[in-house]
């Protein structure tokens, strides 16, 4: 197997995991499951924020797997970066368990690899990339 084929396989694995993570989270946030309600309460966020996050998470999951839409993908990846770093910091500042501080950072690693390994057809043209 050549290097480009391996890169494409790894891209789709990490992108699939990222999209699934965001898709499941979108559903949980929009449904306002008990864990989401408890978490929003512990963080001091209003409950409507869960619905807002759920909608954006769902749109982000769709954006990174949809064909073309390179500019939308860039915004989705940026939003995921902001979301996950903010989640980690919010959980740390609120005194949540270490797992809740580290888990978003692990997801961030997947987001980074999805972004860095995306094929040319999914990149903005004329923009630097790794």
């Amino acid at each position: 197997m050549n290097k480009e084929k391996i890169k494409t396989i790894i891209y789709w694995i990490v992108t699939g995991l990222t999209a699934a993570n965001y898709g499941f989270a979108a559903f949980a946030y929009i449904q306002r499951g008990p864990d989401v309600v408890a978490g929003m309460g512990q963080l001091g966020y209003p409950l409507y924020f869960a619905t807002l996050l759920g909608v954006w998470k769902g749109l982000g999951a769709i954006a990174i797997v949809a064909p073309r839409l390179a500019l939308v993908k860039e915004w989705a990846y940026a939003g995921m970066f902001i979301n996950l770093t903010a989640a980690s910091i919010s959980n740390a500042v609120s005194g949540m368990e270490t797992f809740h501080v580290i888990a978003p950072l692990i997801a961030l690693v997947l987001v980074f690899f999805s972004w860095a390994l995306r094929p040319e057809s999914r990149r903005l043209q004329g923009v630097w990339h790794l």
Side-chain angles (χ1 to χ4, degrees):
M1 213 179 315
N2 69 20
K3 194 174 177 180
E4 213 42 49
K5 182 107 173 157
I6 293 168
K7 180 181 170 184
T8 301
I9 291 169
I10 294 170
Y11 163 77
W12 279 111
I13 290 170
V14 296
T15 301
L17 290 171
T18 299
N21 178 39
Y22 267 77
F24 290 130
F27 180 77
Y29 279 56
I30 290 169
Q31 292 297 313
R32 295 184 181 177
D35 290 341
V36 172
V37 172
M40 288 289 143
Q42 278 186 283
L43 292 168
Y45 294 146
L47 200 49
Y48 70 82
F49 194 57
T51 304
L52 178 67
L53 282 173
V55 169
W56 284 112
K57 284 175 180 282
L59 292 172
I62 292 166
I64 66 170
V65 296
R68 295 178 293 278
L69 307 172
L71 181 60
V72 174
K73 288 181 194 324
E74 291 296 323
W75 279 100
Y77 284 121
M80 290 174 178
F81 175 83
I82 292 165
N83 169 248
L84 293 167
T85 55
S88 182
I89 292 166
S90 293
N91 289 330
V93 169
S94 297
M96 302 277 270
E97 298 89 19
T98 304
F99 168 79
H100 294 291
V101 176
I102 294 174
L105 299 177
I106 293 168
L108 185 59
V109 170
L110 293 176
V111 169
F112 172 77
F113 280 110
S114 176
W115 174 84
L117 297 172
R118 69 201 186 288
E120 279 299 318
S121 63
R122 295 175 168 266
R123 295 174 184 261
L124 281 177
Q125 298 307 309
V127 178
W128 73 275
H129 35 93
L130 300 175

